[in-house]
């Protein structure tokens, strides 16, 4: 199948497939005699793996490591778990930061009268 078909089958744009090849995240597609990329079932499986990992928020470097472990049948599952749990820790940190930002903004907004007066605690807090 060509790159357009592979893109449709995996939900990854042709541009992103080319990018993943250019950074050696996935091996380049084989080439037909006329120079077009050709993708097989294994290629599609790897692309779906990348898509799912991206959906879960893994970085490209983490995906590179996970792909390597996935392809290594002698891997230790502990290595995979270490990457996953490191990502969970990063997500928890982001959630804590976002929660703090939301709470701060909620407090500031509740202090603002939201009327025609010029004084605004939100702007005053940003200016401090």
């Amino acid at each position: 199948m060509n790159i357009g078909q592979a893109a449709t089958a995996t939900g990854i744009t042709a541009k992103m497939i080319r990018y993943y090849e250019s950074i050696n995240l996935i091996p380049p597609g084989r080439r037909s005699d006329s120079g077009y990329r050709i993708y097989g079932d294994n290629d599609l499986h790897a692309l779906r793996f990348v898509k799912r990992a991206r959906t879960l928020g893994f970085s490209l470097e983490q995906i590179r490591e996970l792909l390597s472990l996935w392809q290594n049948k002698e891997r230790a599952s502990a290595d995979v778990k270490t990457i996953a749990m490191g990502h969970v820790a990063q997500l928890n940190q982001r959630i804590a930061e976002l929660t703090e930002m939301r709470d701060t903004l909620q407090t500031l907004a509740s202090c603002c009268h939201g009327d025609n007066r010029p004084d605004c605690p939100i702007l005053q807090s940003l200016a401090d």
Side-chain angles (χ1 to χ4, degrees):
M1 103 177 17
N2 67 31
I3 195 167
Q5 293 165 324
T8 300
T10 62
I12 299 174
T13 65
K15 183 177 181 177
M16 285 307 295
I17 293 171
R18 285 187 204 96
Y19 174 69
Y20 293 152
E21 290 177 356
S22 74
I23 63 169
N24 296 314
L25 184 64
I26 60 169
R30 295 183 322 272
R31 297 287 182 153
S32 69
D33 292 338
S34 55
Y36 291 102
R37 289 176 170 89
I38 301 172
Y39 298 90
D41 289 338
N42 289 339
D43 300 315
L44 296 179
H45 201 58
L47 287 167
R48 287 186 188 108
F49 182 103
V50 170
K51 169 89 173 172
R52 178 72 173 135
R54 291 296 286 165
T55 300
L56 291 172
F58 284 102
S59 70
L60 290 175
E61 201 49 48
Q62 289 169 322
I63 294 171
R64 185 181 313 279
E65 290 178 58
L66 290 169
L67 272 170
S68 176
L69 289 167
W70 178 54
Q71 293 163 347
N72 176 1
K73 300 302 180 203
E74 297 178 16
R75 69 185 169 265
S77 64
D79 296 336
V80 180
K81 185 174 182 175
T82 297
I83 295 168
M85 293 310 295
H87 185 54
V88 168
Q90 291 170 342
L91 290 172
N92 284 333
Q93 178 64 36
R94 282 187 63 202
I95 289 167
E97 291 167 357
L98 289 170
T99 299
E100 184 178 335
M101 288 185 330
R102 181 204 59 208
D103 293 349
T104 300
L105 284 171
Q106 230 168 6
T107 300
L108 290 172
S110 69
C111 293
C112 181
H113 297 303
D115 55 18
N116 291 330
R117 291 184 284 180
D119 61 315
C120 177
I122 300 169
L123 292 177
Q124 288 170 352
S125 175
L126 292 173
D128 288 343

